[in-house]
Amino acid sequence: MSSREPSGEPASAPGTGEERAAPDASEERAAADASEERAAADASEERAAADASEERAAADASEERAAADASEERAARPGVGARPGVGARPGVGARWIAALLALALALSLGAIAGVAYQRYAAVHLRELPKVPRCVRGARVALRRPVAVSGTEPRQTASGETVHLTPGEDRAVACALQFDEALARHLAGALAEQAPAQRAARLLELVRDRVPPDPAHDRSASAAYMMASAALRGLPEDAPEVRAAAEALELHHACRFATRRACPTRPSPPALVWLAGVPAALSLLGLFGIGLTASAARYRRWTARRGR
């Protein structure tokens, strides 16, 4: 039987581990309590901040409502916040809007109507073109009645050679300066001696020998001036001469914009009226708005002077 000898080390005292564990648990509880206190403090601060934000928002809303009420009161009381002696002017903005709308309508619709009318006038209401100066001198010579046979040779459109008087030859020479074909047809018409045949050939010259497109308007106007002058040199009591002169005037009036009305000329297109009438009414409305504004300004001016 072996025996354990004493080692010389002191034996551990009973209960030492339990004593160390107790202080550790106390510290943990204290730390947990401190954390809870800090969390409670943070929550209190957050609630206080939220309450302060709500109070500020309520104060701002109250101020906005008060400002809106004050603005409504100033708007309801004319003259408040304005210059001394100047009252409120209701409807100024509405007048400006109406004026701008009227101006826009007048400009847009007026442009549409103007373009449509210009296209119509370019075909049916062409202006009289300028003719050479020699045409006016030829007219004076052609008005004189033909008493003798001509001696000046000229060639017609068919290649025939005819003899004309000095006045007739002057007219043909003038036509040669701007339209050779017209000059040859004119020579053939002036070569006729019988009044009825001469009148018929002169009418044919203007009506059938000059193309209707605008490029030949100069020749058409010159041919009319010389043919009408030559018809005046014929006996006026001849019915053929009167009929030819009437037909010549009517043809000229239908080709150009003259004082005489043309029965076959079409009326302006409907677009001219559909756009032009509202444009004119818009201009009248704009004029009325301007008169109303001027009258109101005059009344305010007289009211200030009367004070």
Side-chain angles (χ1 to χ4, degrees):
M1 180 175 179
S2 62
S3 61
R4 188 171 50 184
E5 295 179 358
S7 59
E9 294 179 359
S12 59
T16 303
E18 294 177 358
E19 291 177 357
R20 283 198 303 268
D24 293 339
S26 299
E27 291 176 358
E28 290 177 357
R29 284 195 299 272
D33 294 339
S35 298
E36 291 177 358
E37 290 178 357
R38 284 195 298 272
D42 293 340
S44 299
E45 291 177 357
E46 290 178 357
R47 284 195 299 273
D51 294 339
S53 299
E54 292 178 357
E55 291 178 358
R56 284 196 299 271
D60 294 340
S62 300
E63 292 178 357
E64 291 178 357
R65 284 195 298 271
D69 295 339
S71 299
E72 291 178 357
E73 290 179 0
R74 285 196 298 270
R77 291 180 294 172
V80 176
R83 291 179 299 175
V86 179
R89 289 179 286 175
V92 174
R95 282 200 299 268
W96 274 106
I97 294 174
L100 291 176
L101 288 177
L103 180 61
L105 283 176
L107 292 178
S108 58
L109 296 178
I112 294 173
V115 170
Y117 184 79
Q118 286 295 329
R119 292 178 178 176
Y120 166 79
V123 178
H124 302 287
L125 292 174
R126 298 198 294 269
E127 295 293 332
L128 286 171
K130 293 183 178 181
V131 296
R133 294 182 179 179
C134 64
V135 175
R136 302 185 184 279
R139 290 187 67 188
V140 176
L142 290 174
R143 287 175 184 174
R144 301 168 185 169
V146 179
V148 295
S149 299
T151 57
E152 302 295 333
R154 287 290 177 180
Q155 194 173 17
T156 65
S158 61
E160 180 184 0
T161 300
V162 295
H163 293 83
L164 306 176
T165 63
E168 295 169 347
D169 183 73
R170 181 179 180 181
V172 174
C174 176
L176 276 173
Q177 297 181 15
F178 55 88
D179 194 332
E180 182 179 356
L182 176 65
R184 292 181 180 274
H185 286 294
L186 179 61
L190 295 177
E192 296 290 344
Q193 298 298 321
Q197 295 178 358
R198 188 183 181 97
R201 292 289 298 274
L202 290 172
L203 176 61
E204 179 186 359
L205 169 71
V206 178
R207 185 183 58 192
D208 302 330
R209 301 304 180 185
V210 181
D213 54 283
H216 294 83
D217 282 352
R218 187 185 184 191
S219 298
S221 181
Y224 161 77
M225 294 176 68
M226 290 188 287
S228 61
L231 285 174
R232 292 182 182 180
L234 299 178
E236 296 181 358
D237 55 349
E240 295 85 359
V241 175
R242 289 198 303 269
E246 179 67 19
L248 183 66
E249 294 293 334
L250 185 61
H251 177 78
H252 184 68
C254 291
R255 178 160 186 158
F256 299 106
T258 62
R259 295 180 180 178
R260 182 167 181 171
C262 174
T264 60
R265 177 179 293 139
S267 59
L271 184 60
V272 174
W273 303 106
L274 293 177
V277 172
L281 294 178
S282 299
L283 284 177
L284 289 177
L286 185 62
F287 183 69
I289 292 172
L291 285 180
T292 303
S294 299
R297 182 173 296 179
Y298 177 75
R299 287 195 299 268
R300 291 193 300 270
W301 179 75
T302 53
R304 287 197 301 269
R305 287 180 61 89
R307 292 180 180 178

